Amino acid sequence: MSTPPAFKRLPRAVREQQMLDAAVRVFSARGYHAASMDEIAEQAGISKPMVYAYLGTKEDLFIACLRREALRLIEAVTAAVGGAGDTADTDRPDEQLWRGLRAFFGFVGAHRDGWTVLYRQARGQPPFAGEVAELRARMAEAVAVLLGRAVAAAGRRVSEVDLDVMAYALVGASESLADWLTDHPDEDPERAATRMMNIAWLGADQLLRGATWHPAP
């Protein structure tokens, strides 16, 4: 397939985004190994040499897809958590966490192919698992900050290790529920966020108040 003249007249950034959109769809449907550059080029409506010229090898292209989708996700959550204007720093931590969860699941609902590439296709592939681990660490760090604010507001002390454990547990549970959401296109992302909030915050709130479970003697 030759590249249409109209495509060549588009700004470079727009051309790259169109190629990445096509690549995300193909990687989501086929997986990294089964996806072909021929199909990606066909989906983008351009020639295969053009894909190589702009985005490099298939590995380079997959990494570019991962980084774009991760950046989109982080930007969506960050904007939601800090999106209350001058009151963002004084909002209750649970309200900030709710906005973050709603943005997270909203992103997954609107970008199911992108989430599939991030969560299903990349995490089990050694060359790309580091990208996913970095995304998870950044999300967990943000959650730990919110939990830390809740601790401070309650006048309590919780170790950084306990905060990190709670943050990673919440992020891991959210990832699993988001993965479920991709298989249920009729499910409302906001309802999924509400369910996650009920599961995560009620438990975290009790822990932050000092309540802990112990096995029977």
Side-chain angles (χ1 to χ4, degrees):
M1 174 185 292
S2 61
T3 301
F7 182 86
K8 296 178 180 179
R9 290 195 293 269
L10 294 172
R12 182 183 179 91
V14 175
R15 284 177 272 178
E16 289 183 356
Q17 292 306 313
Q18 287 190 11
M19 285 184 270
L20 288 173
D21 289 342
V24 166
R25 290 194 299 270
V26 175
F27 284 133
S28 174
R30 309 290 186 202
Y32 172 72
H33 292 294
S36 71
M37 296 295 273
D38 289 295
E39 185 175 4
I40 291 170
E42 182 178 354
Q43 286 269 340
I46 60 175
S47 66
K48 185 167 67 172
M50 181 71 75
V51 178
Y52 281 112
Y54 274 77
L55 296 168
T57 66
K58 185 167 79 167
E59 181 175 328
D60 294 332
L61 179 55
F62 192 78
I63 291 174
C65 290
L66 286 180
R67 290 177 177 171
R68 188 190 71 167
E69 298 307 307
L71 180 61
R72 284 178 166 181
L73 175 57
I74 290 171
E75 287 179 342
V77 173
T78 301
V81 171
D86 295 336
T87 66
D89 291 336
T90 58
D91 281 346
R92 287 171 19 189
D94 60 322
E95 292 175 347
Q96 289 184 300
L97 180 59
W98 158 243
R99 289 201 303 270
L101 285 172
R102 186 169 58 181
F104 174 78
F105 286 104
F107 175 90
V108 174
H111 303 88
R112 295 173 194 268
D113 287 343
W115 176 256
T116 297
V117 170
L118 277 173
Y119 189 74
R120 292 182 177 175
Q121 308 296 2
R123 64 175 182 161
Q125 303 290 337
F128 315 117
E131 300 283 339
V132 181
E134 181 179 350
L135 171 63
R136 182 178 294 115
R138 293 177 66 179
M139 299 292 286
E141 182 180 1
V143 171
V145 169
L146 292 180
L147 296 177
R149 289 176 184 170
V151 171
R156 302 193 61 86
R157 293 179 62 87
V158 176
S159 72
E160 290 187 7
V161 172
D162 284 339
L163 287 176
D164 286 343
V165 168
M166 282 187 279
Y168 270 94
L170 195 155
V171 169
S174 296
E175 288 176 345
S176 294
L177 184 54
D179 199 40
W180 174 87
L181 183 63
T182 62
D183 290 331
H184 295 79
D186 295 333
E187 181 66 25
D188 179 13
E190 186 158 329
R191 183 161 48 198
T194 301
R195 287 170 173 158
M196 190 69 250
M197 191 70 185
N198 285 329
I199 293 169
W201 183 256
L202 293 180
D205 189 42
Q206 290 297 312
L207 285 171
L208 296 175
R209 292 174 187 272
T212 57
W213 177 87
H214 298 281

